[in-house]
Amino acid sequence: MVTELRHTYPAADHIELESKCSKALPANEEGDGGGSFTSFISFVAKYFAFIRDVDIGQLLETHDKLKALLGQASIALSASTGVLVLPTVISLSRTLSKLAIGLDKRPDLVANLTSREATVGAEEAGERVTLAEGSANLIREAFKKCASERSGNSSGLDNNGKPEGRRIGIYLMANVCLKLFFHCRKLRSAEQIFALIYQQSPPLSLYPAAQRTTFLYYLGRYHFANNHFYRAQLALQEAYYQCHRQATKQRRLILIYLIASNIILGRFPRPHVYQGPEAWGLRDRFEPICLALAKGDIATFRKLTSIDNPSAAWFLYWRILLQITNRGEVILWRSLARCTFLLSGNQGDASKRTAPTLNIEDIFVLATFLEKRAL
């Protein structure tokens, strides 16, 4: 088919290709969507042009063509018959997401694009939009069209209580967007996704488990990044419960942030948490920190959370080092005060109605000793 397209409809003859598609597809009559097939026909012509011209060896050019194709598909999605192209939009969005993330990890391939954008936008104010973020913004437009579906019941459900129309793709599109926004660290853009879902989406429980788990994972990470650790723990715990036991890679991703959230809340993992295959190696990372926090051992905690520690690169990769370091201070000093009280505090006497007391100077002396050990 590609050979036929290149021979019969070369790249310079796009009008003839679109005319051929218009003749092959039936026109939509008034009263049944009123000419909504126009955008669909344009998308089909764009798709044929894409498979005719694409060269997978040129990744940057492929990304641009795929992005243009998804833009046309998104226009067709907004029509009354847009649900027909919803599976295609989802597939194109996933492909574009993988390609954008892959290119973002290859600065040598996007160096020319970066320099060109810098030259064009030299006089423009504002932050430069990266390739991954630009792809995410385009996919977000398709997500908005899924979330703003107005056909069918006001609840967005069919007679069987399942999402209908474009609403079927709400969480599929949202998860692709969130993956890209978290990759390029655009939490404010991710916040818009969560707000739209809260306002317009049917209940999360009506969607498949895979979509629920992925969405809850990103919701937990969003709360974690915004220092709402209790909310993060709730979302991540539910994601961990709902994630299939054989999905080891996904369960590990969830578990890393779940353990970090609970440590910050002062809830240290029990031994059975580390027994699953998804927890391989996590005990060596987290348990020394938990022991130092429980003992109020300032010196050990400082060494474990130091940027020079061998494990620091791992914690930085998962973007949890700063949160554990800063928020762990509260637990550290609370444990130190407790240990000081057990060593030198006045336990009080209930018969004499005297309250337990602790000399603050004792804490100061012990903390100074431990701080010097950490140097």
Side-chain angles (χ1 to χ4, degrees):
M1 184 173 67
V2 174
T3 304
E4 181 182 353
L5 282 170
R6 289 173 178 172
H7 177 73
T8 310
Y9 305 100
D13 198 6
H14 183 72
I15 296 177
E16 185 65 24
L17 178 59
E18 189 164 349
S19 176
K20 177 67 175 179
C21 294
S22 299
K23 294 176 182 178
L25 294 171
N28 207 23
E29 298 179 357
E30 289 292 335
D32 188 24
S36 61
F37 261 56
T38 303
S39 58
F40 179 73
I41 292 172
S42 298
F43 163 68
V44 173
K46 193 83 173 179
Y47 173 76
F48 283 131
F50 173 78
I51 62 174
R52 177 195 64 196
D53 302 333
V54 68
D55 180 6
I56 58 175
Q58 301 294 326
L59 295 179
L60 192 57
E61 183 179 336
T62 300
H63 172 271
D64 293 339
K65 291 181 181 297
L66 187 60
K67 192 175 178 181
L69 179 62
L70 180 57
Q72 186 61 52
S74 182
I75 295 174
L77 182 65
S78 61
S80 59
T81 55
V83 69
L84 295 175
V85 298
L86 178 59
T88 306
V89 170
I90 294 172
S91 178
L92 291 175
S93 298
R94 287 172 169 169
T95 305
L96 181 63
S97 171
K98 293 178 181 178
L99 183 56
I101 292 175
L103 284 171
D104 198 55
K105 295 177 180 178
R106 292 286 304 276
D108 56 310
L109 294 179
V110 298
N112 293 334
L113 175 65
T114 303
S115 60
R116 185 173 71 245
E117 289 181 348
T119 302
V120 173
E123 298 180 357
E124 296 181 2
E127 184 179 359
R128 184 180 66 85
V129 176
T130 64
L131 188 140
E133 186 182 0
S135 300
N137 289 335
L138 178 62
I139 297 172
R140 180 174 56 185
E141 294 304 313
F143 159 74
K144 289 180 179 179
K145 291 170 182 176
C146 292
S148 61
E149 171 74 81
R150 291 292 179 267
S151 63
N153 298 327
S154 58
S155 63
L157 308 178
D158 58 18
N159 295 331
N160 297 320
K162 300 294 183 180
E164 63 177 349
R166 293 192 297 264
R167 296 183 182 91
I168 296 173
I170 288 178
Y171 286 97
L172 286 168
M173 299 300 298
N175 290 337
V176 176
C177 284
L178 291 170
K179 181 179 181 179
L180 282 168
F181 284 136
F182 274 90
H183 173 77
C184 52
R185 306 185 185 186
K186 298 295 180 179
L187 293 182
R188 182 166 296 181
S189 298
E191 183 178 356
Q192 297 174 6
I193 301 292
F194 296 123
L196 278 172
I197 285 181
Y198 178 77
Q199 295 169 4
Q200 301 180 4
S201 173
L204 178 63
S205 59
L206 300 177
Y207 289 81
Q211 298 177 34
R212 297 196 308 265
T213 301
T214 304
F215 178 77
L216 288 170
Y217 163 72
Y218 284 118
L219 179 61
R221 283 198 57 186
Y222 170 76
H223 286 312
F224 186 91
N226 284 281
N227 297 323
H228 299 297
F229 300 108
Y230 181 70
R231 297 178 188 175
Q233 177 267 330
L234 291 176
L236 292 166
Q237 186 70 67
E238 191 63 28
Y240 188 72
Y241 283 148
Q242 296 191 26
C243 189
H244 197 282
R245 289 190 175 275
Q246 294 181 355
T248 305
K249 180 180 178 180
Q250 289 74 16
R251 286 171 67 87
R252 181 178 179 84
L253 290 175
I254 298 169
L255 189 60
I256 288 172
Y257 291 98
L258 179 58
I259 292 176
S261 298
N262 278 312
I263 288 176
I264 292 171
L265 293 172
R267 303 170 176 176
F268 301 150
R270 296 183 180 181
H272 73 272
V273 174
Y274 300 116
Q275 293 176 359
E278 68 275 8
W280 184 87
L282 296 185
R283 186 169 195 161
D284 296 335
R285 304 287 187 181
F286 288 110
E287 191 169 62
I289 293 177
C290 293
L291 292 175
L293 289 173
K295 296 177 180 178
D297 190 345
I298 295 178
T300 302
F301 182 76
R302 293 279 191 273
K303 292 177 182 178
L304 291 172
T305 56
S306 171
I307 198 66
D308 298 324
N309 189 278
S311 296
W314 186 87
F315 286 100
L316 285 172
Y317 175 81
W318 296 108
R319 305 177 193 173
I320 57 178
L321 179 62
L322 295 180
Q323 290 88 340
I324 292 177
T325 302
N326 295 333
R327 299 296 177 137
E329 286 284 337
V330 178
I331 304 172
L332 187 70
W333 283 91
R334 186 175 65 190
S335 299
L336 180 63
R338 178 177 177 274
C339 292
T340 306
F341 175 77
L342 293 176
L343 290 172
S344 62
N346 184 352
Q347 304 292 327
D349 190 341
S351 62
K352 298 180 180 179
R353 304 182 68 178
T354 57
T357 57
L358 173 64
N359 191 338
I360 195 67
E361 293 183 359
D362 294 341
I363 299 180
F364 176 76
V365 171
L366 184 56
T368 302
F369 170 75
L370 292 174
E371 288 282 7
K372 289 180 178 180
R373 282 184 56 192
L375 298 176

